Amino acid sequence: MQETNALGAFLRARRDLLRPGDVGLVPGERRRVPGLRREELAMLAGISSDYYLRLEQGRDQHPSGQVLDALAKALRLDAAATAHLHDLARPEARRRRRPRAESVPAGMAQLVGQLALPAYVVGRYMDVLAANSPARALSPNYAPGRNLVRQIFLDPEERELHVDWERATAGVVGGLRAKAGADPDDPNLTALVGELSLRSDRFRTLWARADVGHRRDGTSRMRHPLVGELLLRHEKLDIPGTGGQQLVIYHAQPGTGTAQALALLGSLAATDERGAEVGDRDAAR
């Protein structure tokens, strides 16, 4: 995470992922780089090698949109990664911002609490900001105050929960980079990435790939300690006016074993919640 050359770092990371054969080039002998050479990428993008070198070294950080599109095509970036590339080239991306405390709109917090399905709200750094009892029953890490990135990499129980842990971790890291956008100097993001890069080899490898984005819908396979195997769908909905907050909802195909297990989990969560409320009233007497 270089403070003054995020654009160059992103280009270099994506260049390292491509092999000559991926883009129709003959590898040749005596290659000293894992991916494409700078001059090879420049040729594919239709720009000079010297100009591309200036971009990677940070001597030119604001290329035209046409150049960025050519580089994105040469690097085979998808729509999310291409948008991220354009963001990194915007002058305002270099402005240092003060971290702001995130809060969930009152109406959204109320809605989350009323949903019967597991639902939670995550913020810019993948912190859980609000969650209902079915979500907390699905995983104790789906609770306000927990950070989903930190937990999925460092909590052994979270690794046991996700049957497809490697796929899940890749999605979480891509989502974090997408949420971070073009503000690589954000101190909260820098601290989180630094911590996890030191504590998790898997995170360090994924972050170095510079993948961007996450699926707004899809499936998650989980192995819950109380209700067993679950094949859940998840939906991620942007919350307008919140600077990147998302509502995440899990649901199951009607009539399946997962739907029955999810209903049982919700019933158990409701029972536990009523028990806690009774305990609180007794303690207050």
Side-chain angles (χ1 to χ4, degrees):
M1 299 258 311
Q2 299 183 25
E3 180 172 331
T4 59
N5 191 22
L7 175 63
F10 182 72
L11 288 171
R12 185 166 53 253
R14 300 305 301 185
R15 177 170 62 85
D16 285 346
L17 294 178
L18 284 177
R19 298 295 182 266
D22 297 336
V23 293
L25 298 177
V26 178
E29 299 179 354
R30 299 181 181 178
R31 296 187 67 88
R32 293 181 294 178
V33 294
L36 292 181
R37 296 187 177 104
R38 291 191 183 96
E39 58 269 24
E40 290 171 336
L41 180 55
M43 177 192 69
L44 291 169
I47 60 178
S48 71
S49 297
D50 180 67
Y51 180 56
Y52 178 77
L53 179 61
R54 295 206 309 272
L55 291 176
E56 245 193 39
Q57 292 181 341
R59 290 184 284 140
D60 186 332
Q61 298 187 11
H62 310 304
S64 69
Q66 184 178 4
V67 168
L68 293 171
D69 287 337
L71 286 168
K73 183 177 180 180
L75 289 168
R76 299 192 169 187
L77 302 183
D78 61 15
T82 299
H84 184 70
L85 179 64
H86 278 265
D87 283 345
L88 291 176
R90 289 185 298 136
E92 57 266 32
R94 299 296 182 272
R95 296 175 185 170
R96 182 174 293 278
R97 303 179 180 90
R98 289 185 178 181
R100 293 180 298 176
E102 295 185 286
S103 60
V104 180
M108 180 58 64
Q110 184 180 56
L111 171 63
V112 169
Q114 292 176 344
L115 290 174
L117 295 168
Y120 58 85
V121 174
V122 289
R124 178 178 174 84
Y125 313 100
M126 305 293 282
D127 294 312
V128 179
L129 304 176
N132 60 15
S133 56
R136 296 192 298 271
L138 186 60
S139 169
N141 287 318
Y142 297 155
R146 302 292 181 93
N147 179 273
L148 296 185
V149 188
R150 184 180 289 111
Q151 299 307 126
I152 200 169
F153 283 98
L154 303 182
D155 186 346
E157 291 186 3
E158 195 71 11
R159 181 163 187 168
E160 287 296 317
L161 175 67
H162 292 275
V163 177
D164 49 359
W165 181 80
E166 292 196 355
R167 177 170 171 262
T169 52
V172 165
V173 171
L176 177 65
R177 190 178 287 275
K179 284 179 173 293
D183 194 7
D185 302 336
D186 185 310
N188 286 346
L189 176 67
T190 300
L192 180 61
V193 170
E195 174 195 353
L196 291 173
S197 294
L198 290 174
R199 300 179 66 183
S200 169
D201 292 340
R202 171 71 174 165
F203 176 87
R204 186 166 59 251
T205 298
L206 289 172
W207 189 258
R209 288 178 55 88
D211 289 333
V212 182
H214 50 80
R215 294 187 60 180
R216 294 184 177 275
D217 57 16
T219 58
S220 298
R221 294 177 59 219
M222 298 184 182
R223 185 181 298 110
H224 195 274
L226 295 180
V227 297
E229 295 276 349
L230 301 169
L231 180 60
L232 295 169
R233 291 197 61 83
H234 59 260
E235 314 294 335
K236 299 177 180 178
L237 310 174
D238 293 336
I239 304 175
T242 60
Q245 292 180 21
Q246 286 184 320
L247 170 64
V248 182
I249 304 174
Y250 285 98
H251 60 104
Q253 182 72 25
T256 62
T258 293
Q260 295 175 0
L262 203 58
L264 174 59
L265 193 62
S267 177
L268 294 173
T271 300
D272 290 344
E273 194 170 58
R274 286 194 295 271
E277 290 174 355
V278 170
D280 290 342
R281 287 198 297 269
D282 290 344
R285 291 175 181 173

